[in-house]
Amino acid sequence: MVVVMAPGATKAQIEEVVAVVEGAGLKAHLSFGDQRTVIGIIGDKTVMMDLPLAGMSGVEKLLKVTASYKLISREFAARDHVVWVDGVPVGGGSMAVMAGPCAVESREQLLEAAAIVKAQGAQFLRGGAFKPRTSPYSFQGLEQKGLEFLAEAGEKYGLKIVTEVMDEGNVSRIAETSHVLQIGARNMQNFALLRAVGRAGKPVLLKRGMCGTIDEWLNAAEYIAKEGNMDIIMCERGIRTFETYTRNTLDLSAVVAVKELSCLPVIVDPSHGTGLRKMVRPMSLAAVGAGADGLMIEVHPEPAKALSDGPQSLDEQGFASLMKEVNGLTTLLRGENRLQ
Ligand code: PEP
Ligand code: MN
């Protein structure tokens, strides 16, 4: 249930509502908007229904929350949640660009990729050190060495690091290096991992599972939020359909749906979403048009030599022209508030 306080409700009135909620053994989640404060209540529904909240002073109305996710829901939040990553905003009108190779392959490769990414104005460097590969015989990532190269490149170019965490045991060591913990599509419903990143004290990038419905994806985010971490960036990366021309079917309508249903920022990964280099630019622009808060783009200094996902990776020139157009469209649609 959500208690919507009247515009101008006083601090004392808000505190009184919270006291009644907590006094009944329930949890109160406060969200402050420009006009109103919203108090989300979590706990036993029957206890909730019996509380004398409707008649309390300062209370405008009570709303029932029907979705199974609460903390991240639009009803619980008085405004969009902007995820601040070490001073860089994701959401709130900015355009966050996370770019870099699929996998960290060597120190030289990563430094070169970071230079390209930085030169074009992206704020984040992506790159997998632990890779989820379909075949156990494919390159699995440089692991610890990869984390060290990411840390060095991030430091050198002033880029925030995004890298994937695949198991609970590695959460704390990856959190030492990475500004954002990426949960890959294959782990969207790895609930133990979701709980672990929820407790890690770092923003989380939650990719949509390849067979995940929007509702399942939002519930996955709720697992993270329930641990006390609201800094969740949702990432649409395509879903599996009957279509085989593209690697996945990029569901841009999910951007609109998730932004309507939740307060979280949503970014789009057209690289994994299509698997085809030629589609990365048009789908990036479509994502900006759909209202995405950012993009995740695979960039490799020499895509033909990439150890993974070369066919969907952009080279320096491809990324430069993409960024020019993304900037132009963002400025056109959203005014001056473009990259950052
Ligand atoms: C990735 O971004 O490196 C990745 C493996 O993507 P996904 O989890 O979307 O397949
Ligand atoms: Mn990849």
Side-chain angles (χ1 to χ4, degrees):
M1 187 196 286
V2 167
V3 181
V4 181
M5 300 301 289
T10 64
K11 194 165 167 259
Q13 287 170 333
I14 294 166
E15 281 170 1
E16 246 176 89
V17 172
V18 172
V20 168
V21 170
E22 292 181 345
L26 305 171
K27 274 197 179 144
H29 174 87
L30 270 75
S31 173
F32 303 100
D34 293 333
Q35 300 286 323
R36 287 177 171 75
T37 296
V38 160
I39 305 168
I41 309 176
I42 291 183
D44 189 325
K45 273 194 199 121
T46 50
V47 175
M48 215 178 279
M49 300 316 283
D50 285 344
L51 294 179
L53 297 167
M56 291 184 71
S57 55
V59 171
E60 184 175 279
K61 59 183 170 189
L62 305 181
L63 296 175
K64 220 173 136 191
V65 179
T66 45
S68 49
Y69 47 87
K70 313 280 177 203
L71 297 168
I72 63 152
S73 72
R74 185 52 78 188
E75 286 114 319
F76 260 51
R79 61 169 87 187
D80 285 352
H81 182 70
V82 178
V83 177
W84 286 91
V85 182
D86 196 24
V88 177
V90 182
S94 62
M95 178 55 61
V97 179
M98 308 180 179
C102 179
V104 180
E105 298 169 2
S106 68
R107 182 171 177 270
E108 293 65 34
Q109 171 247 19
L110 189 68
L111 286 170
E112 236 182 289
I116 295 169
V117 164
K118 179 68 180 182
Q120 301 310 324
Q123 312 95 326
F124 296 82
L125 175 66
R126 63 142 290 145
F130 296 84
K131 292 301 301 175
R133 304 305 302 281
T134 301
S135 164
Y137 304 110
S138 301
F139 175 57
Q140 303 285 308
L142 296 182
E143 304 191 339
Q144 186 58 36
K145 267 274 161 251
L147 293 179
E148 288 164 24
F149 297 153
L150 281 166
E152 182 187 349
E155 190 89 0
K156 178 165 180 190
Y157 290 101
L159 292 162
K160 308 302 168 202
I161 300 299
V162 187
T163 199
E164 179 163 352
V165 41
M166 293 204 298
D167 61 76
E168 287 166 75
N170 276 336
V171 170
S172 55
R173 78 158 149 160
I174 294 177
E176 280 171 26
T177 303
S178 198
H179 297 92
V180 178
L181 302 174
Q182 176 172 328
I183 299 293
R186 290 154 192 81
N187 277 313
M188 186 197 85
Q189 284 190 314
N190 180 337
F191 300 119
L193 184 59
L194 296 175
R195 285 196 194 96
V197 295
R199 291 190 294 264
K202 283 281 168 90
V204 176
L205 181 124
L206 178 62
K207 287 199 155 194
R208 181 178 182 182
M210 56 189 83
C211 295
T213 65
I214 288 172
D215 191 68
E216 287 163 346
W217 186 21
L218 290 165
N219 274 290
E222 185 78 6
Y223 269 88
I224 299 166
K226 188 169 179 283
E227 297 303 318
N229 185 359
M230 279 293 289
D231 288 335
I232 305 161
I233 303 160
M234 304 294 274
C235 179
E236 164 61 39
R237 49 76 71 204
I239 49 175
R240 189 163 280 184
T241 68
F242 55 80
E243 185 53 69
T244 53
Y245 183 81
T246 45
R247 179 177 177 179
N248 291 291
T249 298
L250 186 65
D251 180 12
L252 289 178
S253 64
V255 175
V256 181
V258 170
K259 287 179 76 71
E260 188 182 295
L261 295 166
S262 87
C263 61
L264 300 174
V266 186
I267 72 162
V268 170
D269 171 353
S271 306
H272 294 91
T274 66
L276 299 169
R277 183 179 303 122
K278 67 181 176 188
M279 290 198 180
V280 171
R281 187 194 67 87
M283 290 302 103
S284 295
L285 298 177
V288 174
D293 297 293
L295 295 167
M296 175 171 266
I297 309 286
E298 283 189 338
V299 174
H300 194 287
E302 289 180 277
K305 292 191 182 158
L307 296 181
S308 60
D309 288 349
Q312 68 193 34
S313 300
L314 301 185
D315 62 9
E316 180 170 16
Q317 208 195 341
F319 186 59
S321 48
L322 168 89
M323 287 298 278
K324 217 167 138 202
E325 289 189 72
V326 164
N327 276 332
L329 185 60
T330 307
T331 306
L332 183 73
L333 294 175
R334 304 181 196 174
E336 285 310 303
N337 190 4
R338 29 161 298 282
L339 290 168
Q340 284 191 43

